[in-house]
């Protein structure tokens, strides 16, 4: 999925006009890159949510099989994702 995104931008940029940078004309390349970045960030957010769901399922299974203090002290901190969030504006 991400390889397709990379290939898409690599295919479209060579034929996209650059613009002149004057008078607010950022050009098609800048717009294409902005749209591509937004698309990639949306996918990252989606993947992060899917990953969190899988981790929650794993944590639930571990809570049922391991003693609670082991899960809380050793397993859950290891499974947590960093708190960095991506914001995507339209």
């Amino acid at each position: 999925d991400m390889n397709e995104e990379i290939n898409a931008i690599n295919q479209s940029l060579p034929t996209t006009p650059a613009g002149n940078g004057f008078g607010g004309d950022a050009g098609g390349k800048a717009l294409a890159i902005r749209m591509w970045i937004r698309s990639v960030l949306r996918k990252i957010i989606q993947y992060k949510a899917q990953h969190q769901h899988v981790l929650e399922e794993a944590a639930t299974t571990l809570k049922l099989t391991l003693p609670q203090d082991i899960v809380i002290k050793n397993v859950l901190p290891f499974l947590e994702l960093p708190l960095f969030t991506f914001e995507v504006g339209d």
Side-chain angles (χ1 to χ4, degrees):
D1 212 23
M2 293 305 287
N3 286 333
E4 291 174 11
E5 286 291 330
I6 293 167
N7 289 335
I9 196 70
N10 287 338
Q11 293 296 318
S12 66
L13 279 181
T15 59
T16 304
N20 61 19
F22 297 106
D25 179 19
K29 285 191 190 295
L31 180 59
I33 291 169
R34 285 186 196 119
M35 291 172 45
W36 178 76
I37 289 172
R38 286 186 183 123
S39 175
V40 169
L41 288 176
R42 282 188 192 99
K43 288 185 186 234
I44 290 171
I45 291 167
Q46 177 186 358
Y47 295 148
K48 184 177 175 182
Q50 290 172 352
H51 182 73
Q52 187 64 37
H53 178 71
V54 170
L55 290 179
E56 288 170 4
E57 287 180 358
T60 299
T61 301
L62 290 171
K63 284 179 185 178
L64 296 173
T65 56
L66 294 174
Q68 190 71 8
D69 61 329
I70 292 175
V71 172
I72 291 171
K73 292 179 184 176
N74 300 312
V75 177
L76 294 181
F78 178 75
L79 295 177
E80 291 178 6
L81 287 173
L83 295 178
F84 185 82
T85 58
F86 296 98
E87 296 181 18
V88 178
D90 289 320

